[in-house]
Amino acid sequence: MDTDLPSDLARLRVLETWAAHYLTRIRARIAAVERQQAQQQPPAPTAAPPVRSAAGPGRARTPDWGLAEAGIGVPATEVHRGGCWARGRSLVAVSAERARAELAGGAQPCAVCRPDRVLTRP
């Protein structure tokens, strides 16, 4: 067992939340540096202009609900609200009905945005 981590669940959950938040900040900084570097380099020639999304120039629509599949840092499939900062990069947009079904089927609700509180209301 790792000796540099606390042994109680409450402090481990705090560390998990902090790490997820910090990872979001790191990814945002990486994206900013990549944008800055892309502006400094001349664009590569393309055959056709890029297709823009209907949500606005350069922005994808934020889904209302999503699933973060199990993987590194996510031990089980989690259901998130679309705007949750802890959702990670690989959020798969789903309908409210599918999100309810996933929760009923054993998927974990996000401990940050708590979609189960909204989705289980009558």
Side-chain angles (χ1 to χ4, degrees):
M1 189 159 186
D2 293 323
T3 58
D4 62 331
L5 296 174
S7 59
D8 61 295
L9 185 58
R11 289 191 296 167
L12 286 169
R13 290 290 183 196
V14 169
L15 287 173
E16 176 186 35
T17 302
W18 177 85
H21 175 68
Y22 209 74
L23 182 58
T24 301
R25 289 182 58 206
I26 291 169
R27 287 178 175 159
R29 182 66 181 140
I30 289 171
V33 170
E34 287 174 341
R35 281 191 304 271
Q36 183 182 18
Q37 288 179 351
Q39 289 175 353
Q40 293 174 355
Q41 296 176 354
T46 59
V51 177
R52 296 287 184 179
S53 129
R59 296 183 64 190
R61 182 186 160 314
T62 302
D64 293 331
W65 307 102
L67 296 177
E69 297 297 327
I72 297 174
V74 181
T77 300
E78 288 184 339
V79 179
H80 291 268
R81 293 184 192 199
C84 178
W85 61 263
R87 68 188 183 160
R89 285 187 170 181
S90 61
L91 192 72
V92 177
V94 296
S95 66
E97 293 79 24
R98 168 100 187 267
R100 282 187 191 97
E102 290 289 336
L103 287 170
Q108 297 295 314
C110 172
V112 175
C113 66
R114 298 305 305 255
D116 53 327
R117 292 182 179 172
V118 176
L119 290 170
T120 55
R121 290 183 185 162

